[in-house]
Amino acid sequence: MSEAVSRRSAIRLLAGAGAALGAAGCAPSVPPGAGRGTAPPAPPAPAAGAPGAEAADGAARVDSLLERLTLEEKTALLHGARDPAPLGQAGYVPGVPRLGIPALRLADGPAGVRVATPATALPAPVLLASAFDPALAREYGRVLGREGRALGLDVLLAPMANLIRTPYAGRNFETFAEDPRLTADLVAEVIRGIQDEGLIAAVKHFALYNQEKGRDTVDVIAAERTLHETELRGFEAAVAAGAGAVVGAYNKVNGVYACESGPLLGEVLRGAWGFDGWVISDREAVHSTVAAISAGLDVEMPGATHFGAPLREAVRGGSVSQDTVDLAVHRVLSTLDRFGLLTDRPAARPARDAAAGARTARKVAAAGAVLLRNERGTLPLAGAAARSIAVIGPTGQVPFVSGGGSAHVVPDAAAAPLAAIRQRAGNGSTVRHALGEDLYGRPLPPVLLRPPADLDDRRLEAGRTWSHEGTFTLTAADEWTLLVHYTGQRPSVRLDGEELFPVRQGVAEQFAGGLLGTAPDGMAVRRRTLALKAGAHRLAVSARGGAAGQRFRLRLTTRASRAADLAEAVKAAKAARSVVLFAYEDATEGTDRTSLALPGGQERLIEAVAAANPRTTVVLNTSSSTTMPWLSRTGAVLQTYYPGQEGAGATADILFGDVDPGGRLTQTFPADEDATPFGGNPLRYPGVGGRQEHTEGVHVGHRWYDAQRTAPLFPFGHGLSYTTWQYEKLVVRPEHGGLRVEFTVRNTGRRKGTEVAQVYVGPSPELKLDQPVRALAGYRRLTLAPGQAQRVTVTIDPRALSSWDPERHAWVLGGGRREVFAGRSSRELPLRSKAVVRSR
Ligand code: BGC
């Protein structure tokens, strides 16, 4: 037997070992009957043959390539090459042209394809999730898949399957929900959608990446049972749906970096779940060569720090075996083969269909919008209230399309809500805008400065420098927000000797917010708020034009300008019959939120505007839950998160009642900051001594509020409709090892409406485990005409009735009399019944 042949057999053995461990060590965690997901479009068949011939051909192709690749070529497939990233994408592997192994282009992300050119900016995944609609998630995935293929990519770094564990986490908008079941359903469908179009989905970030604070180093501690019943559910569903790739997270999990975790990558992912795709590191998330590749990480991104020369040396020195390298290469190549990329006749890339992308973006944004409050018939806008409207807030005028960080997408186009409301209100109506709060600042009056200087829109040619040094004098103490808008290199702005906008290393520098980080004309923006004493201050500004030259402007807001903006908004509110106030909170990867309150002067603005006009609707463009001390003053509150490029039109659809609000919260909104799983206990978030413990165990999200009997502001699953609903006649009976739940949902109002009927299940009396008070077991989104009733059937599968037994390392069915609840939210469950589940 040749060495190459014996090595190949070893690879097969190693690949098979995982599956064996899964069968022997753990109960199969893929639900019975779950297939490998929808296959991507088949590559042009090399030669028609009997069933299975194609797979055999693929295996032979991969084996033959493995035999011919040199060690240099193999390791080159196991890491990214920083340059060139031809499309401005996140990752690039040049391939091995000599053997026809194509270059691979990897890009973000979860809410749209992020490359150097514009793309369809879809609503944030959390807004998609709020629709509770797996079919819509598939459609969303298809848009991502088609755009990705059209824009020249092979792998999409999406979706993000991490749970929303804390409302403070900076990336909550990029992920789906606090509930493991809902997350699992939607992750699977988005992946199927992406891969339906032939693009490889790389589900991220495996695992326990639920906060930005210390993300590179934090050691996240979670018990085996907690892991399986909460965070891992989405990833498990991704594997069952056939995801081609998994992205390893930055953080440590139970003491070991996720990208070198044997328990996670070997035992769970490859062993118990039988994953046979490849594992990519998150950007710069690899910390070692031997430990990482031995644990099962296949590809380092974006460079070659650990898997380039160090890996070759490790092989030559014997600390990493050839088989280990071959196994990683095998996983990469067989995935490429599965997606038809290892053929000399790859499927043609489709053209972009921007119009179809925009249609889906609008549909999702409208479907997910959550009406949190609606008093005194404030919404939908109708009659006189629809003809005399004050639109207030900066994000009424500058559309808030995407969050910040690697999920930020530059859209083809995006209308402002003001324009969409004007258009919908139509001729003969009066729609006025008032800023309320100035996000981008006014020019610094040149006469304020000694010597006078125009710091508004300076342009420097390449290589030129410019500077100003002078003073300005304040007659009274003031609070200023100074802003610098710039292209190219950030100018230096020193006030009384202090640099106001220092360039820092790390993610906080790399990522600015999706709204605040960029001016409407695309210039980068940085802000600094300062308490200034009366008297003279020294200001020094210097700038240098890089290769492409430079533009910058210095702007400010003062106490007086802010008061004027507020007064203007109140005046506009008084003059109109109704008010739509757009409020924002700008989150981004790289930074957690420091407060759940709306930032800046927005709370004051809402109070003042709602006092002037109680027919005020607050539209929230925020990343996650928000505290609302101002709530009782408002007429209505509509949560639209980051609604994507079609957000303006979709928001108008809801405001005017063209679409019934069918979105429901996928996360609990706490009553105040002390009433969250982390409230009043600063040791638990963001962690102590570099450790973050999942002390809430299986009680993540709404389960914690139920377990602690803590009243939320708005519960998980909450969302109002413009019509009214009644739930009737619950029948629960055993079926196929699970439960069949039937009930009637009736639209008792006078409008057509959309409801999300939810089913929760109580604990098993037979299991001696701490179980959720109520776990989401199923749901159904349905649209009914006025007066119409529908019998709804929800099947509770055995998994939804099972708990992870840490002693048996397996799922165990929770037998006995189980309580089943049905209703409109996790806290509004008018129907309940019991049924016996037989565990054997
Ligand atoms: C993020 C990932 C992203 C990657 C590439 C990382 O910083 O955590 O979500 O896919 O960058 O842009």
Side-chain angles (χ1 to χ4, degrees):
M1 200 191 297
S2 76
E3 201 197 321
V5 173
S6 65
R7 215 167 38 231
R8 278 209 313 274
S9 325
I11 291 166
R12 289 216 190 86
L13 266 177
L14 277 169
L21 171 69
C26 309
S29 33
V30 177
R36 301 288 308 149
T38 314
E54 209 173 281
D57 284 356
R61 256 195 305 276
V62 170
D63 283 350
S64 145
L65 283 171
L66 260 175
E67 260 171 51
R68 285 179 289 153
L69 284 163
T70 65
L71 180 62
E72 265 71 19
E73 288 168 335
K74 285 176 186 170
T75 55
L77 289 171
L78 301 184
H79 63 77
R82 270 177 204 281
D83 289 309
L87 308 168
Q89 77 276 24
Y92 181 60
V93 183
V96 184
R98 164 181 96 81
L99 296 174
I101 300 174
L104 289 179
R105 295 166 173 92
L106 298 75
D108 288 299
V113 176
R114 179 175 163 84
V115 284
T117 48
T120 303
L122 289 160
V126 69
L127 184 53
L128 166 71
S130 309
F132 279 73
D133 187 347
L136 194 60
R138 180 108 176 210
E139 184 178 330
Y140 183 102
R142 284 208 179 115
V143 172
L144 292 172
R146 175 160 182 161
E147 292 249 311
R149 290 272 300 143
L151 289 165
L153 301 160
D154 310 291
V155 180
L156 193 73
L157 302 167
M160 175 163 170
N162 305 100
L163 290 187
I164 296 177
R165 178 177 177 240
T166 153
Y168 295 94
R171 300 183 76 167
N172 285 357
F173 65 92
E174 269 188 76
T175 186
F176 296 102
E178 66 188 15
D179 186 81
R181 165 68 195 253
L182 181 62
T183 298
D185 292 349
L186 300 175
V187 163
E189 289 308 315
V190 170
I191 286 172
R192 289 193 176 102
I194 294 171
Q195 298 195 162
D196 282 345
E197 301 293 324
L199 193 68
I200 300 171
V203 61
K204 66 192 188 184
H205 313 79
F206 192 59
L208 292 181
Y209 173 30
N210 316 101
Q211 69 182 54
E212 296 305 289
K213 179 85 179 163
R215 72 174 186 176
D216 301 315
T217 51
V218 65
D219 185 6
V220 191
I221 311 295
E224 178 184 325
R225 175 156 179 249
T226 302
L227 266 166
H228 281 276
E229 291 197 26
T230 65
E231 172 84 355
L232 294 189
R233 289 291 304 277
F235 294 96
E236 182 187 6
V239 171
V246 169
V247 175
Y250 284 115
N251 48 281
K252 291 180 187 160
V253 173
N254 295 331
V256 183
Y257 280 110
C259 284
E260 52 191 56
S261 164
L264 268 189
L265 303 183
E267 288 169 31
V268 174
L269 181 65
R270 296 224 165 83
W273 299 345
F275 176 65
D276 55 10
W278 91 86
V279 181
I280 309 170
S281 78
D282 201 350
R283 193 182 171 82
E284 318 274 15
V286 188
H287 293 263
S288 63
T289 302
V290 180
I293 194 144
S294 309
L297 183 78
D298 302 309
V299 175
E300 175 184 14
M301 276 293 158
T305 314
H306 299 281
F307 280 19
L311 180 55
R312 290 192 290 278
E313 273 157 35
V315 173
R316 289 187 190 115
S319 52
V320 170
S321 70
Q322 278 276 2
D323 285 347
T324 303
V325 169
D326 283 6
L327 181 56
V329 175
H330 189 277
R331 289 181 189 128
V332 173
L333 293 180
S334 48
T335 307
L336 299 191
D337 192 63
R338 182 182 150 214
F339 283 78
L341 299 173
L342 281 190
T343 161
D344 45 12
R345 284 179 293 129
R349 290 185 182 273
R352 264 194 81 201
D353 188 345
R359 275 196 301 277
T360 299
R362 171 119 175 207
K363 186 163 145 189
V364 172
V370 188
L371 183 62
L372 294 174
R373 168 183 170 90
N374 191 15
E375 295 295 310
R376 307 179 293 278
T378 300
L379 291 182
L381 297 174
R387 290 194 298 275
S388 162
I389 307 171
V391 174
I392 293 174
T395 41
Q397 201 175 38
V398 176
F400 198 161
V401 173
S402 292
S406 58
H408 185 70
V409 180
V410 177
D412 292 307
L418 177 62
I421 290 171
R422 277 207 173 115
Q423 192 187 10
R424 178 59 181 76
N427 291 338
S429 56
T430 309
V431 180
R432 295 225 169 84
H433 180 249
L435 205 49
E437 187 189 19
D438 183 357
L439 292 183
Y440 304 107
R442 301 44 174 159
L444 237 73
V447 291
L448 186 75
L449 304 171
R450 289 281 170 274
D454 184 0
L455 299 177
D456 198 48
D457 208 4
R458 304 230 47 117
R459 289 164 196 257
L460 273 73
E461 283 170 15
R464 300 295 294 272
T465 57
W466 184 91
S467 63
H468 164 87
E469 274 192 46
T471 57
F472 63 90
T473 303
L474 296 184
T475 50
D478 201 350
E479 190 181 279
W480 278 19
T481 296
L482 266 172
L483 303 94
V484 61
H485 299 199
Y486 62 98
T487 62
Q489 197 180 314
R490 187 147 83 226
S492 159
V493 180
R494 302 181 76 82
L495 186 74
D496 297 327
E498 187 200 350
E499 174 59 60
L500 295 186
F501 307 106
V503 177
R504 297 206 169 86
Q505 296 303 313
V507 280
E509 178 60 40
Q510 194 186 336
F511 298 122
L515 171 78
L516 301 176
T518 317
D521 64 358
M523 284 168 84
V525 176
R526 291 291 188 279
R527 302 173 170 71
R528 183 78 185 268
T529 297
L530 305 148
L532 296 179
K533 296 198 175 106
H537 296 271
R538 281 175 293 124
L539 181 70
V541 182
S542 62
R544 170 184 296 277
Q550 200 218 30
R551 279 179 68 190
F552 77 91
R553 50 195 179 224
L554 209 62
R555 302 215 153 181
L556 89 170
T557 64
T558 63
R559 238 179 229 140
S561 77
R562 287 190 290 275
D565 288 339
L566 184 73
E568 180 66 30
V570 168
K571 196 169 143 207
K574 278 192 180 140
R577 294 298 286 265
S578 60
V579 176
V580 182
L581 190 157
F582 286 83
Y584 69 90
E585 175 267 321
D586 193 18
T588 178
E589 171 179 353
T591 319
D592 285 329
R593 300 163 73 195
T594 51
S595 157
L596 303 186
L598 289 171
Q602 294 184 92
E603 291 196 339
R604 216 171 344 123
L605 176 68
I606 295 173
E607 296 271 3
V609 165
N613 188 334
R615 278 191 95 82
T616 291
T617 298
V618 176
V619 178
L620 291 168
N621 291 134
T622 53
S623 65
S624 193
S625 59
T626 307
T627 49
M628 304 182 195
W630 37 264
L631 184 70
S632 62
R633 287 199 180 267
T634 63
V637 179
L638 180 66
Q639 175 72 46
T640 64
Y641 298 104
Y642 303 152
Q645 66 176 50
E646 305 300 321
T651 304
D653 289 343
I654 301 281
L655 292 174
F656 288 88
D658 302 333
V659 174
D660 189 52
R664 303 294 182 259
L665 288 182
T666 66
Q667 62 195 303
T668 311
F669 276 39
D672 60 62
E673 303 213 21
D674 288 336
T676 78
F678 309 94
N681 189 351
L683 295 185
R684 291 177 61 194
Y685 181 79
V688 192
R691 276 165 60 100
Q692 169 62 266
E693 243 179 278
H694 281 229
T695 43
E696 73 275 31
V698 298
H699 305 286
V700 68
H702 57 97
R703 299 174 178 181
W704 180 87
Y705 289 82
D706 287 345
Q708 300 297 318
R709 298 171 192 265
T710 298
L713 180 63
F714 296 114
F716 175 88
H718 169 74
L720 305 172
S721 149
Y722 290 146
T723 186
T724 48
W725 301 93
Q726 196 165 301
Y727 283 69
E728 301 159 4
K729 300 190 191 102
L730 175 65
V731 176
V732 185
R733 58 171 187 273
E735 188 183 77
H736 307 313
L739 295 173
R740 181 185 168 91
V741 181
E742 280 181 38
F743 51 96
T744 299
V745 177
R746 187 181 301 280
N747 178 349
T748 50
R750 280 191 238 115
R751 302 174 66 99
K752 178 176 154 192
T754 298
E755 176 66 327
V756 176
Q758 301 159 44
V759 174
Y760 296 80
V761 63
S764 155
E766 285 180 6
L767 293 181
K768 303 285 166 274
L769 294 167
D770 177 29
Q771 301 163 64
V773 176
R774 275 184 296 276
L776 181 70
Y779 48 88
R780 172 71 54 77
R781 181 182 174 94
L782 65 162
T783 297
L784 298 181
Q788 194 186 349
Q790 188 175 314
R791 196 82 186 137
V792 173
T793 304
V794 171
T795 303
I796 306 186
D797 56 30
R799 169 57 75 82
L801 298 164
S802 300
S803 296
W804 182 266
D805 182 338
E807 278 169 20
R808 291 168 56 192
H809 309 293
W811 290 100
V812 286
L813 188 62
R817 269 169 84 76
R818 306 284 302 256
E819 199 162 12
V820 172
F821 308 80
R824 310 203 61 241
S825 81
S826 62
R827 290 288 174 107
E828 195 181 337
L829 296 164
L831 303 182
R832 56 175 67 189
S833 177
K834 285 188 177 165
V836 173
V837 174
R838 296 202 191 286
S839 53
R840 61 194 93 99

